[in-house]
Amino acid sequence: MLLTTRDFWAVIHGMVLGALFLLSFAGGLAGLYSMRPEWVTVSGINERIRRLDIGTWIMAIVAWLTVFTGTYIVYPWYRAKPPEGQTDLLAYPRSFLLSMPDLAEWHRFGMEWKEHVAWFAPILATVVAFVVWRYGTQIAENPKLRNALIVFFVLAFAAAAVAGLLGALITKAAPVG
Amino acid sequence: MAVTQSSTQAKAKVPMGVASAAFLSGGIGVFVIGLMTTLSEVIPGFASMLNWWSPAGPLVGKTLVGILAWLISWAILHAIWKDQETNFGKIYMFSLILVGLGFLLTFPPIFTMFAGG
């Protein structure tokens, strides 16, 4: 029951930060969707907008932390090159996957898509957080803006979901720990 | 509804230019990351040009170029549009197209197709 440094960061990246972003999405989406003057009172809108403001900023920050820990801490372990002549490649996930014909697609398709698409989530989530913060209760009176936010929010989630799902599957095939 | 309007009238209404700049720059950032991903596959030597930190390889350059494009375009568009009522619908649609292209250009079957299989 001991976590190595690699295990620890893989858990922080995928199971703590990544999962937190994906799990908090439903709350954020419900908050945005219900920002309608015909559904909630003025005090209700004011209370919801405060919660939505804090929630979307937390999600954006979590998304940034997820991609930074992923790219700058976990990914270098994944793509490390094995020393010349090394035959046991288990500690070198990228090389291990590419050496196995039936696993190579996990790198060629899975990791290649995951490592890039993941970066869309923090950008799109930051745009949503900024617009929620700047416009506040105006969102309730402007259905066009509310819908625009919902679509960007869903796209941020989709990017994170693709990255998270592929990350979990790749880790199952070749863990960095 | 009337009460909602009176509560927000107390605060100055934010022009739609602010949201337009935020959404469009987000689209630009995502598109540029996609473009860097595909160009790295298509142009020989492009990936090594973006290899700014060896342990993580060209991914660092691709994503930092995208983030720079996002932040710089946001600063410029915000400065131009912040006091304007822009055509939000059109700008937002264009932003969505850029995001869609970004997703496509990072999708391995697409960029390997551009790279000639």
Side-chain angles (χ1 to χ4, degrees):
Chain A
M1 198 52 203
L2 191 71
L3 282 182
T4 62
T5 306
R6 290 185 178 202
D7 290 334
F8 172 78
W9 281 108
V11 166
I12 293 289
H13 167 68
M15 291 174 72
V16 177
L17 296 169
L20 187 64
F21 180 86
L22 295 173
L23 288 172
S24 52
F25 167 76
L29 183 65
L32 278 172
Y33 187 76
S34 64
M35 284 292 275
R36 294 156 197 260
E38 65 270 26
W39 285 5
V40 265
T41 60
V42 174
S43 54
I45 286 180
N46 287 333
E47 189 272 334
R48 273 177 202 212
I49 202 68
R50 263 195 304 273
R51 206 157 13 112
L52 194 60
D53 193 13
I54 294 167
T56 49
W57 276 118
I58 289 174
M59 283 184 73
I61 291 165
V62 165
W64 282 111
L65 290 174
T66 309
V67 293
F68 273 104
T69 53
T71 301
Y72 293 96
I73 298 175
V74 180
Y75 185 58
W77 293 325
Y78 170 84
R79 77 186 296 273
K81 283 196 167 61
E84 199 74 26
Q86 176 97 16
T87 50
D88 180 6
L89 298 176
L90 274 175
Y92 305 91
R94 180 180 181 272
S95 302
F96 171 73
L97 292 175
L98 290 173
S99 71
M100 314 283 277
D102 54 337
L103 296 179
E105 279 306 304
W106 284 120
H107 174 75
R108 290 200 192 106
F109 174 80
M111 196 59 178
E112 287 286 356
W113 198 20
K114 170 201 160 58
E115 69 188 39
H116 299 109
V117 83
W119 281 86
F120 297 173
I123 293 176
L124 299 174
T126 304
V127 168
V128 170
F130 173 82
V131 174
V132 167
W133 167 70
R134 201 68 179 76
Y135 284 82
T137 53
Q138 262 179 258
I139 297 165
E141 297 153 16
N142 187 338
K144 226 183 212 179
L145 183 60
R146 183 178 60 238
N147 292 338
L149 283 166
I150 288 173
V151 171
F152 253 52
F153 199 57
V154 169
L155 288 169
F157 172 79
V162 167
L165 178 66
L166 288 172
L169 294 170
I170 294 163
T171 301
K172 196 169 178 295
V176 290
Chain B
M1 181 70 183
V3 191
T4 309
Q5 279 171 347
S6 67
S7 78
T8 50
Q9 273 164 2
K11 276 164 75 175
K13 198 168 179 281
V14 182
M16 289 308 285
V18 173
S20 299
F23 283 112
L24 183 55
S25 63
I28 290 170
V30 165
F31 172 73
V32 170
I33 291 177
L35 187 66
M36 292 297 112
T37 306
T38 295
L39 290 180
S40 296
E41 297 292 323
V42 175
I43 303 173
F46 196 78
S48 50
M49 220 171 68
L50 294 171
N51 189 358
W52 298 349
W53 185 58
S54 289
L59 180 62
V60 172
K62 292 176 207 172
T63 52
L64 288 183
V65 167
I67 289 171
L68 282 175
W70 168 49
L71 293 176
I72 292 169
S73 63
W74 195 352
I76 293 169
L77 291 170
H78 184 82
I80 298 170
W81 286 343
K82 69 179 190 310
D83 299 318
Q84 293 179 25
E85 286 301 338
T86 51
N87 187 340
F88 179 71
K90 260 193 187 163
I91 292 167
Y92 182 71
M93 279 313 294
F94 188 59
S95 311
L96 277 185
I97 290 169
L98 288 175
V99 172
L101 286 172
F103 270 91
L104 278 178
L105 291 172
T106 57
F107 191 56
I110 300 287
F111 65 65
T112 47
M113 184 185 74
F114 279 120

